[in-house]
Amino acid sequence: MKTIRTSIIGFGAVGQGVAKVILSKNEYLNNMGIDLRVVAIADSKTAVIDENGLDLSAVLARKLEQGSVGSENIGGTEIIKTVEHDLVVEITPTNINDGGVGLGNMIAAFEKGMDVVTSNKGPLALKYCELEEMAKNSGSQFKFEATVGGAMPIINLASETLAGNKILSMEGILNGTCNYILCRMMEENAPYDQMVAEAQELGIAETDPIYDVEGIDTACKLVILANAIFGMNATYKDVSVTGITKITPEALLLAQNNGYDIKLIGEVNGSKINVSPKLVPKDNPLAVGGTLNVASLQTDISGPITITGRGAGSIETASAILSDIISIYKD
Amino acid sequence: MRVSMDLELKDIPGQLLLVLKPISDFKGNLVTVVHHHEKRTPRGTIPVQVVFEIKADKLDDIISKFEESGVSVVSVDEKRYLEHGTVILIGHIVHTDIQDTIDKMDETGCAELVDLNLSMPKIDCPSSACLKIDAVNKEELNLVIELLKKIAVEKDLLVIEPIESELRV
Ligand SMILES: NC(=O)c1ccc[n+]([C@@H]2O[C@H](COP(=O)([O-])OP(=O)(O)OC[C@H]3O[C@@H](n4cnc5c(N)ncnc54)[C@H](OP(=O)(O)O)[C@@H]3O)[C@@H](O)[C@H]2O)c1
């Protein structure tokens, strides 16, 4: 049995999901030869540390009751630098302007030769190549399946399962919020504003939905795919982005009468990285409804391969983080 | 659509006008005329090949005019539009000169707007339109959609085109 000591930096929806998944999959992990011990957890203000392994149920309960994980006044970056451990699970908020704390945390981890698993898109959308380079130089493993498509295993599908294929292009729906809004506008023949409000009420859209509806979130995910799958050395600046804010119910009706849905489609094709609303034939596998995500990879020898799944959610995203952890440490 | 015709003209002055005038009268757009003076036929006529753009419903009228005036039509080769594309536009479509948008697409000669369905909810609100485009092949369809996207940037319209896998050549 391999003992892996890990920290969880960021303990919001995904962080708590990771703790729950580790608790429920403990035996499964043991069977894979992995003894996963969480030795530190940090949120924005507090931290809790136990080098022998934290009681995750107790930390989850405390976060729920008191809003904080512990009483120690030590930041996430400080934990990475000072507490002895092997793996950093970096799940602080995404910041696509400067990478936010996540970027500093990843750099600190690589400087110490630690492995990193993350769902935080910001640092990758801005500094993919630099981070990969640092990880390589320090012998660290760096996995980020959860940054794109939540539970939908697109990166690992392309890089591992489809080994031997050349991936020629990719197109898909990588933002569940936009997909929900467009589907509902079509169903109800309702204006954009009204369906954004409904999505916010249901917790599907954030209070400030701009990252989603302007296509920025999709663009960040495309940057990660362009680098990880297509080896492109791209950053956010290389993406042409059009969101869904101008879509009208009339346009959706016209599309529908001609056998199409309108979807916010992200694509990587040749050197082109593009996000824009597109017409998807109703019988095309990309025409998924609700908050689902979908991606279709065009391969040279297997033809098109399409996967769909839940693109967000606490447990769903945590599942992608867990699969990255297992793929690093299984024998 | 684009039509290529093989004609035979009598070898007397003024015959070419009998070809060019009907094309222009029916608002056709001449692309090329090749006059094969050296290839005079045993009948003593001169073979001429013309290529022009014309609205599909005017082609028969032109052929009748030729025949009336003694121009013999040997063969007609119209380009067949095998690819059908749908594109949606959103914005101030009418106010930004819809005729100009359509003309620019038709002028390409390789594709033609065959249907336009406009939905205008309220004055001053952006309208939406569904455009059906017929093209000779996928390459030409892609070209005309690219052209439409360029026009749309100038006119601040949003173009919603089919996904890439639908347009792939
Ligand atoms: N939610 C999803 O479905 C989903 C899916 C895919 C990817 N992601 C990505 O996963 C990451 C986490 O998402 P989330 O939904 O869990 O967000 P969230 O609920 O807002 O949680 C963010 C967590 O990070 C903590 N945090 C903020 N600043 C920090 C700092 N300086 N040091 C340490 N912790 C800090 C917050 O602390 P407090 O608790 O004290 O506020 C909170 O616990 C984001 O990058 C997001 O884009 C989320």
Side-chain angles (χ1 to χ4, degrees), chain A residues 9-14 42-44 63 91-94 101 119-121 146 312-313 317:
Chain A
I9 311 298
F11 207 61
V14 177
D43 58 22
S44 66
K63 180 73 185 167
I91 26 189
T92 58
T94 288
V101 286
S119 61
N120 184 350
K121 295 171 283 286
T317 308

Side-chain angles (χ1 to χ4, degrees), chain A residues 169 171 242 246-248 250-251 254-255 258 260 262 267 269 277-281 284 298, chain B residues 86-88 90 117 119 121 128-130 132 156 158-166 168:
Chain A
S169 64
E171 61 186 348
T242 309
K246 288 185 178 161
I247 304 290
T248 60
E250 295 81 28
L254 287 167
N258 287 286
Y260 291 101
I262 297 179
E267 64 178 317
N269 185 10
K278 293 219 167 166
L279 296 173
V280 180
N284 189 285
Q298 188 67 34
Chain B
T86 301
V87 173
I88 288 195
I90 300 176
N117 205 330
S119 177
S128 308
C130 181
K132 292 264 178 92
D156 195 23
L158 173 63
V159 177
I160 307 176
E161 62 180 311
I163 46 173
E164 198 267 333
S165 46
E166 284 284 291
R168 192 175 297 141

Side-chain angles (χ1 to χ4, degrees), chain A residues 8-16 42-46 63 67-69 75-77 90-95 101-102 105 118-123 146-150 206 217 221 311-317 321:
Chain A
I8 300 177
I9 311 298
F11 207 61
V14 177
Q16 292 169 45
D43 58 22
S44 66
K45 294 185 196 72
T46 65
K63 180 73 185 167
S68 60
V69 289
T77 321
E90 214 299 326
I91 26 189
T92 58
T94 288
N95 174 327
V101 286
N105 286 343
T118 188
S119 61
N120 184 350
K121 295 171 283 286
T147 56
V148 184
E206 293 179 32
D217 174 72
K221 291 167 177 167
S314 156
I315 296 292
E316 291 84 349
T317 308
I321 289 174

Side-chain angles (χ1 to χ4, degrees), chain A residues 8 11-26 56 60 64 314-315 318:
Chain A
I8 300 177
F11 207 61
V14 177
Q16 292 169 45
V18 169
K20 287 177 195 159
V21 166
I22 293 174
L23 277 173
S24 71
K25 294 283 177 177
N26 197 29
L56 293 177
L60 279 166
L64 199 65
S314 156
I315 296 292

Side-chain angles (χ1 to χ4, degrees), chain A residues 152-167:
Chain A
M152 192 176 76
I154 177 155
I155 297 172
N156 294 331
L157 174 73
S159 55
E160 284 162 33
T161 317
L162 289 175
N165 280 275
K166 185 170 166 28
I167 314 287

